[in-house]
Amino acid sequence: MKKRLAKKHRTNKSDRSNFWELRLYIAGQTPNSIAAIANLKKICEDQLKGKYRIEVVDLLKNPQLAKGDQIVAIPTLVRRLPPPVKKIVGNLSKTERALVGLDIQRGR
């Protein structure tokens, strides 16, 4: 029975390493913010189907949340999982750059 639990725990750990936790900081419903949300959803559906969670943080409503991830420009995407933490500034319209920046795809 202990061996089963150990195997199950290992599976969960590997599942966690394949899971992507993304936080997108925006400021209201500006064109750049709306584009960033749409572009991020498209990237995730195309590349990470079923293996991601997106949290959108509107800094007009919660400005104190910017301090934790040291946000200085918006929109900013923070990849929290898998480690290491990565940040991308902009609306993610340049898909290939976003994929390379997130380490989903290698640069050429």
Side-chain angles (χ1 to χ4, degrees):
M1 188 166 176
K2 287 184 181 179
K3 286 184 181 179
R4 269 191 190 166
L5 291 175
K7 284 183 181 178
K8 188 173 184 179
H9 182 69
R10 243 183 279 135
T11 303
N12 287 341
K13 200 172 189 178
S14 70
D15 287 347
R16 236 181 286 137
S17 69
N18 291 328
F19 188 78
W20 293 69
E21 187 175 303
L22 306 164
R23 183 177 285 175
L24 181 63
Y25 289 92
I26 60 169
Q29 295 297 309
T30 65
N32 256 351
S33 297
I34 293 167
I37 293 168
N39 291 333
L40 179 57
K41 285 181 180 178
K42 182 172 182 353
I43 288 168
C44 289
E45 279 302 306
D46 291 349
Q47 303 292 325
L48 306 171
K49 198 158 192 97
K51 297 181 189 176
Y52 69 94
R53 184 180 70 180
I54 298 171
E55 178 184 1
V56 176
V57 178
D58 188 339
L59 295 178
L60 292 180
K61 295 178 182 174
N62 299 303
Q64 70 279 8
L65 296 178
K67 192 174 184 180
D69 280 322
Q70 299 175 339
I71 303 303
V72 295
I74 46 174
T76 296
L77 175 64
V78 178
R79 182 187 85 179
R80 300 178 71 94
L81 287 176
V85 172
K86 296 218 173 221
K87 295 179 185 176
I88 299 176
V89 176
N91 68 10
L92 309 171
S93 60
K94 295 181 180 174
T95 305
E96 189 170 325
R97 276 181 112 178
L99 293 174
V100 171
L102 290 169
D103 281 344
I104 296 172
Q105 175 180 307
R106 296 211 186 277
R108 292 181 188 186

